[in-house]
């Protein structure tokens, strides 16, 4: 199911940026898993993955990929590129991990360095929380949600301590928050089960 959603997202990106094969792409906060899954759809000139840690999520089991140019670490705040230097910046499922009081600064950095971008983030209004693959856990009072995530697949495979740390880190965005951060940008809703599953923000 996750692969299906990623491929659908890749098709949306390709439709929006049909000349992507000519672009050097910066995948901010990304992982090689995404490119391994969508490589048949998205074929940019090169991809630089920029993340805060070179962990399994960033590089995957095999860091090789036809389009991956490099994996770069940064401080999570200051993107080390000049103004409008990036042909296309892609940022998948990152904004919800950024502390609320730091989000606008990151958006300003994304606006500064990129000629074009697509920023995707899961919608708080969707019934299933995607990190824990649990329904409504993100809607109930957070102290109760923090206990409930012990029953999630994430806790089963990674341990309850990891799941609680992830829960403390992640805060999904609602429509008001995403539109407030990305004023005057086009926002597309990814749909599932008749509900908004995530938001995709485009600068083109």
């Amino acid at each position: 199911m996750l692969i299906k959603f990623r491929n659908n997202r890749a098709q949306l990106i390709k439709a929006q940026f049909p000349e992507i094969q000519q672009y050097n792409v910066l995948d901010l906060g990304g992982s090689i898993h995404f490119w391994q899954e969508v490589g048949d759809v998205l074929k940019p000139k090169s991809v630089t993955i920029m993340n805060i840690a070179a962990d399994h999520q960033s590089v995957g089991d095999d860091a090789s990929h036809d389009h991956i140019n490099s994996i770069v670490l940064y401080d999570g705040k200051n993107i080390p590129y000049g103004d409008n230097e990036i042909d296309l910046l892609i940022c998948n499922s990152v904004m919800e991990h950024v502390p609320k009081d730091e989000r606008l600064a990151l958006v300003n950095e994304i606006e500064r360095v990129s000629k074009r971008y697509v920023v995707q983030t899961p919608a708080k209004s969707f019934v299933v929380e995607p990190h824990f693959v649990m329904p409504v856990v993100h809607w109930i009072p957070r102290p109760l949600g923090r206990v409930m995530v012990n029953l999630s697949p994430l806790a089963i495979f990674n341990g309850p301590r990891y799941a609680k740390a992830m829960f403390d880190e992640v805060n999904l965005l609602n429509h008001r928050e995403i539109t407030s951060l990305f004023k005057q940008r086009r926002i597309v809703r990814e749909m599932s089960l008749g509900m908004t599953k995530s938001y995709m923000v485009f600068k083109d």
Side-chain angles (χ1 to χ4, degrees), residues 22-36:
Q22 300 176 23
Y23 297 157
N24 294 308
V25 170
L26 175 65
D27 186 357
L28 188 67
S31 76
I32 199 169
H33 299 291
F34 176 78
W35 295 100
Q36 289 171 332

Side-chain angles (χ1 to χ4, degrees), residues 3-21 34-44 65 67:
I3 294 175
K4 177 183 177 181
F5 280 124
R6 284 181 174 173
N7 274 282
N8 289 343
R9 188 173 304 151
Q11 293 288 355
L12 285 173
I13 294 172
K14 184 177 181 180
Q16 185 64 34
F17 304 107
E19 298 179 349
I20 191 171
Q21 72 276 3
F34 176 78
W35 295 100
Q36 289 171 332
E37 291 170 3
V38 305
D40 291 339
V41 178
L42 298 180
K43 298 180 180 181
H65 187 277
H67 301 297

Side-chain angles (χ1 to χ4, degrees), residues 8-18 20 42 88-92 110-111 114-121 178 182-190 198-204:
N8 289 343
R9 188 173 304 151
Q11 293 288 355
L12 285 173
I13 294 172
K14 184 177 181 180
Q16 185 64 34
F17 304 107
I20 191 171
L42 298 180
L88 173 62
L89 183 147
I90 295 176
C91 185
N92 270 312
I110 291 171
E111 290 276 359
S114 58
K115 299 173 185 174
R116 312 162 187 84
Y117 64 66
V118 54
V119 175
Q120 178 273 343
T121 190
I178 199 73
F182 294 94
K183 293 182 175 68
Q184 299 179 343
R185 295 299 180 196
R186 188 166 66 90
I187 299 174
V188 174
R189 297 172 184 258
E190 287 186 291
S198 69
Y199 303 106
M200 295 180 71
V201 185
F202 290 98
K203 174 186 178 181
D204 46 25

